[in-house]
Amino acid sequence: MMGDMASEETRTTMTSPPTHRPTESTAPRPPAPRAWTTRLVVVGIVLTALNLRPAITSLGALLEEVRDGLGMSGSVAGLLTSVPPLCFAVFGVMAPRLARRFGPAAVVCAGMAAITAGLALRPFIGGTAGFLAASALALMGIAVSNVLMPVIVKRWFPDRVGSMTGLYSMALALGTSLAAAVTVPMTDALGGSWRSGLVVWAGLAAAAVLPWIALVRARGAAPGSDEPAPAPGDARQEAAGLRITRSRTAWALAVFFGLQATAAYITMGWMAQIFRDAGVAAGTAGLLLAVTMVMGVPLAFVIPRLATRLPHQGPIVVALGVCGLAGYAGLYLAPAGGAWAWAVLLGISNCAFPLALTMVGMRARTGAGVVQLSAFAQSTGYLLSIPGPLLVGVLYQHSGGWGLPLALMAGLMVPQIAVGIRAGRNRTVEDELAG
């Protein structure tokens, strides 16, 4: 893939007609080949994506041990599980301004450094308050990187938004499932200390810093070499700014993003418990959750590529929503009998996340538009997703069963389909606001 990208870039450069023929003495030196920077961006995107969820899922795997080790109350532990979407909403808003000031590559580099520092510090900083603060530092790095990944894809690979978003989403799903699956065995192999099991993920984050450092240094040596120069329209749009909150498409995409995030967090937080309450063994319930998460690895690559080939992404939204409704119905009617089928269906449904990321890149025409739309859709969406997992817990506790929580999950899928169809229409926020 990287070779194809480099070859296309080289062909484009070679076939561009020269505007004049300067003499040898006055001709500027041709720009250095950028094939290596293109490959470096691909490596950076993959390593970044791998690091956008292990801070969350590794903690979930060891939450009981962390609670015991820090003397953490149940209410504080509940707060800890709600911190990720809150941080994504709050810190994600900062990303556009930081990107305009320092450049997307530099901000992502700083984000990866923040993840590294947060994951390295939180097991050893001491006390619940310190643990929460270090976790927030890591989540801040995740938040700005979340927002800027679609921006980098749009700028570097404008004709490969689907395939590159698919690669990024596939790596994100792989990092999510990998941290959930291996954190406990790795903790046991390292002596059984939860601190060792958590700190090891700082090494993966540190590796993700390296390609971005190289890109930022390249930019310092040759201004603009870390990313393609924006078109003049982009510069004007950056200067003027979009009133993104006036776009109905932006709001539809933000609500779609929030509802799919709600479904994903409910699934990650509660699905294993649903199976266990139905009589499924704890180990099998964990394996079923892993199956749901692993479904995102291949589909996260396929769905964005398919989405970019369609003028309207509504049919994909409907197909994913129907899978979700079928999965919730199965959990209500026969949670144990058809457990594997429901796990697969919900895993397919959760692939609304890479679809939402792809639509962010498709619903904005300019680089500046993608920055603002990505920040608005993700920050607003994650803010909307905060109450969902908490409300499911309240309904479960007060009703004594899973009937009401599952009805809530299925009910939220209906507006997700509706707003997803609206967000999938073939238009851009720039044209919508100009019209």
Side-chain angles (χ1 to χ4, degrees), residues 24-25 45 139-140 341 358 367 391 409:
E24 185 175 347
S25 59
I45 288 172
L139 292 168
M140 178 176 66
T358 306
L391 185 55
M409 298 178 207

Side-chain angles (χ1 to χ4, degrees), residues 9 12-13 21 31 48 50 52 71 143 162 174 221 266 286 328 332 399 406-407 409 415:
E9 184 178 314
T12 303
T13 304
R21 257 180 219 282
T48 297
L50 286 172
L52 293 183
L174 180 61
I266 289 174
Y328 293 138
Y332 178 76
S399 67
L406 287 170
M409 298 178 207

Side-chain angles (χ1 to χ4, degrees), residues 251-270:
W251 275 106
L253 189 52
V255 175
F256 178 71
F257 198 98
L259 290 173
Q260 66 80 27
T262 299
Y265 280 110
I266 289 174
T267 299
M268 286 189 289
W270 292 106

Side-chain angles (χ1 to χ4, degrees), residues 17 25 35 44 70 72-73 99 129 136 143 145 159 164 185 214 220 225 228 289 291 300 304 343 347 383 403 424 435:
S25 59
L70 297 177
M72 192 181 295
S73 66
S145 302
D159 57 340
M164 290 306 302
S225 62
L289 178 59
V291 167
L383 196 62

Side-chain angles (χ1 to χ4, degrees), residues 14 43 70 98 126 131 174 177 189 212 224 257 335 382 399 416 430:
M14 293 177 63
V43 172
L70 297 177
L98 293 172
F131 190 91
L174 180 61
S177 56
W212 298 110
F257 198 98
Y382 281 123
S399 67
Q416 178 178 321
E430 293 92 345

Side-chain angles (χ1 to χ4, degrees), residues 365-428:
R365 180 169 42 81
T366 64
V370 175
V371 173
Q372 293 189 51
L373 180 58
S374 181
F376 175 74
Q378 294 200 46
S379 297
T380 305
Y382 281 123
L383 196 62
L384 292 173
S385 73
I386 293 172
L390 298 177
L391 185 55
V392 166
V394 170
L395 290 176
Y396 172 59
Q397 181 176 350
H398 286 83
S399 67
W402 286 105
L404 286 178
L406 287 170
L408 172 67
M409 298 178 207
L412 291 176
M413 191 60 67
V414 176
Q416 178 178 321
I417 294 172
V419 295
I421 292 173
R422 185 176 185 87
R425 294 182 301 174
N426 187 16
R427 61 183 59 192
T428 65

